[in-house]
């Protein structure tokens, strides 16, 4: 069960390892384009169709016809990667249960956007967790975990790609562990893991306002915020140009400048740096490497400087 490209890696690993994948469950095709006249299939569906695997696309997970069709496959185990919340009638159906591959080291970063929030919060390490589903979101008993280091300059794309492959690896290890134990495995309740955690950090869904740049924050926080939203959905905000005008932009990549000094009263102002440009923060300056003015194409700092600063 899964929808985006992140889930395809695990499905592909299952197929290539010759597990008997009896069906795939994914989201319905969605309209795309300016007029919504074209339907686009989820990435998981495209892979499943190419490999002759039956695909189910329910609008509602409690739909009676869907539940009966799912039951007819008599699956021993269900694997969930980047999907939606399942009702008990679905996750409790297989004899070995249902486990989820989550892109974080639970109990930290429960929620829909764990990769983004780990980077936004400046974490140096994240990872993947497999856990059995239960009634609440991302709270089930942990089966396995594997860490993944986050480099200082990594953005979401880098971590996403790394966890996508790591998730596929840990999914296979988890399945083998479940099979070897005939469904009985040592899984740890997250309540026990919480005892050594000083602060639980969540990973709620991202909305447009969540991605707005607050220029009153410190330079390191802004650096992490921008890379934690790059390339999708992108951090956005208003910047001030040297001529006094204000422009809405998306900023995808910045570089920290050691020893730079900011100006609280001018934070959010674009300034020229050599042939490129940077943005002033309260306690430093961030050099802009990739930026997109509202309604324009994405460009590097030098091109932005040439076009808007002179």
């Amino acid at each position: 069960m899964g929808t985006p490209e992140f889930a395809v890696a695990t499905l592909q690993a299952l197929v290539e390892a010759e597990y008997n994948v009896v069906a795939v469950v994914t989201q319905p095709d969605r309209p795309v384009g300016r007029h919504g006249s074209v339907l686009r299939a989820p990435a998981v569906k495209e892979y499943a169709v190419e490999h002759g695997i039956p695909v189910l696309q329910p609008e509602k997970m409690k739909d009676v016809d869907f539940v009966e069709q799912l039951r007819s496959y008599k699956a021993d185990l269900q694997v969930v990667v980047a999907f939606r919340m399942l009702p008990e009638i679905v996750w409790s159906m297989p004899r070995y249960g249902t486990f989820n591959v989550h892109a974080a080291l639970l109990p930290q970063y429960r929620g829909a956007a764990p990769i983004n929030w780990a980077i936004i919060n400046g974490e140096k390490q994240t990872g993947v967790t497999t856990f059995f589903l239960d009634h609440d979101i991302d709270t089930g008993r942990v089966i396995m975990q594997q860490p993944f280091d986050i480099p200082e300059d990594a953005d979401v794309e880098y971590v996403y790609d790394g966890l996508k492959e790591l998730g596929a690896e840990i999914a296979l290890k988890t399945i083998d562990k479940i099979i070897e134990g005939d469904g009985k495995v040592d899984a740890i309740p997250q309540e026990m893991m919480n005892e050594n955690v000083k602060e639980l950090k969540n990973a709620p869904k991202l909305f447009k306002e969540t991605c707005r740049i607050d220029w009153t924050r410190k330079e390191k926080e802004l650096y992490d915020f921008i890379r934690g939203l790059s390339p999708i959905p992108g951090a956005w905000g208003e910047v001030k140009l040297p001529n006094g005008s204000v422009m809405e932009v998306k900023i995808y990549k910045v570089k920290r400048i050691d020893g730079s000094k900011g100006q609280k009263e001018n934070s959010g102002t674009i300034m020229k740096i050599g042939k490129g440009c940077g943005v002033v923060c309260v306690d430093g300056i961030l050099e802009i490497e990739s930026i997109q003015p509202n309604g324009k194409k994405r460009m590097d700092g030098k091109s932005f400087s040439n076009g808007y600063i002179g």
Side-chain angles (χ1 to χ4, degrees):
M1 300 184 176
T3 300
E5 190 66 35
F6 191 91
V8 174
T10 298
L11 176 58
Q12 181 177 349
L14 291 170
V15 171
E16 292 180 354
E18 299 183 349
Y19 289 92
N20 183 23
V21 182
V22 295
V24 160
V25 182
T26 189
Q27 298 274 24
D29 296 359
R30 299 298 186 195
V32 295
R34 180 173 297 179
H35 305 291
S37 57
V38 178
L39 288 177
R40 176 175 293 173
V44 163
K45 177 183 178 180
E46 292 179 347
Y47 182 90
V49 170
E50 288 175 4
H51 291 80
I53 304 171
V55 177
L56 308 181
Q57 295 178 274
E59 286 283 355
K60 296 181 179 180
M61 298 302 291
K62 291 183 179 180
D63 179 82
V64 175
D65 291 338
F66 161 69
V67 172
E68 288 306 310
Q69 191 175 7
L70 184 63
R71 185 175 283 116
S72 71
Y73 287 105
K74 299 178 180 179
D76 298 303
L77 178 68
Q78 289 174 163
V79 183
V80 180
V81 187
F83 196 43
R84 57 208 280 193
M85 189 172 180
L86 304 181
E88 183 175 1
I89 194 172
V90 172
W91 58 256
S92 65
M93 190 180 294
R95 66 187 182 116
Y96 289 158
T98 301
F99 77 84
N100 187 87
V101 179
H102 186 72
L105 297 174
L106 293 173
Q108 295 289 17
Y109 295 107
R110 294 169 177 158
I115 297 175
N116 301 92
W117 284 107
I119 300 172
I120 288 171
N121 288 335
E123 302 288 359
K124 295 181 179 179
Q125 188 180 74
T126 183
V128 288
T129 301
T130 54
F131 67 96
F132 285 115
L133 264 64
D134 61 13
H135 293 91
D136 298 313
I137 297 177
D138 301 335
T139 59
R141 294 174 296 128
V142 169
I143 308 166
M144 298 183 75
Q145 290 188 319
Q146 198 158 332
F148 180 86
D149 292 335
I150 304 176
E152 175 68 24
D153 60 348
D155 61 9
V156 172
E157 186 173 32
Y158 175 89
V159 180
Y160 180 99
D161 289 343
L163 294 187
K164 179 174 65 175
E165 300 306 320
L166 196 60
E169 292 176 17
I170 199 172
L172 298 189
K173 292 176 182 177
T174 300
I175 292 171
D176 289 343
K177 189 174 183 178
I178 292 172
I179 292 172
E180 289 168 7
D182 195 28
K184 297 178 181 179
V185 297
D186 292 327
I188 305 171
Q190 289 189 41
E191 295 75 22
M192 294 177 61
M193 303 172 73
N194 287 347
E195 295 175 359
N196 298 320
V197 177
K198 293 181 180 179
E199 178 189 4
L200 277 179
K201 300 174 184 177
N202 293 317
K205 185 177 180 180
L206 297 171
F207 295 95
K208 182 177 180 181
E209 197 56 35
T210 316
C211 304
R212 184 168 189 160
I213 300 171
D214 177 2
W215 294 114
T216 66
R217 296 170 69 180
K218 292 184 177 181
E219 175 257 0
K220 175 62 165 64
E221 293 174 340
L222 291 170
Y223 174 76
D224 292 335
F225 185 78
I226 290 167
R227 67 190 181 100
L229 295 169
S230 180
I232 296 174
W236 68 278
E238 293 182 340
V239 295
K240 291 174 282 188
L241 299 180
N243 63 9
S245 63
V246 175
M247 173 186 291
E248 183 178 309
V249 297
K250 276 190 174 183
I251 301 179
Y252 293 96
K253 190 174 183 181
V254 290
K255 181 180 179 181
R256 300 182 71 190
I257 303 175
D258 293 337
S260 62
K261 295 182 180 180
Q263 295 177 320
K264 186 175 181 180
E265 63 276 14
N266 290 320
S267 59
T269 299
I270 297 286
M271 62 178 292
K272 198 168 183 65
I273 299 179
K275 294 183 179 180
C277 60
V279 59
V280 179
C281 307
V282 296
D283 61 343
I285 296 171
L286 292 171
E287 183 178 348
I288 293 174
E289 296 189 333
S290 182
I291 187 171
Q292 182 179 11
N294 189 31
K296 304 293 183 179
K297 292 183 178 181
R298 184 171 168 177
M299 62 187 72
D300 59 28
K302 181 180 178 181
S303 299
F304 184 87
S305 181
N306 290 339
Y308 296 95
I309 300 177

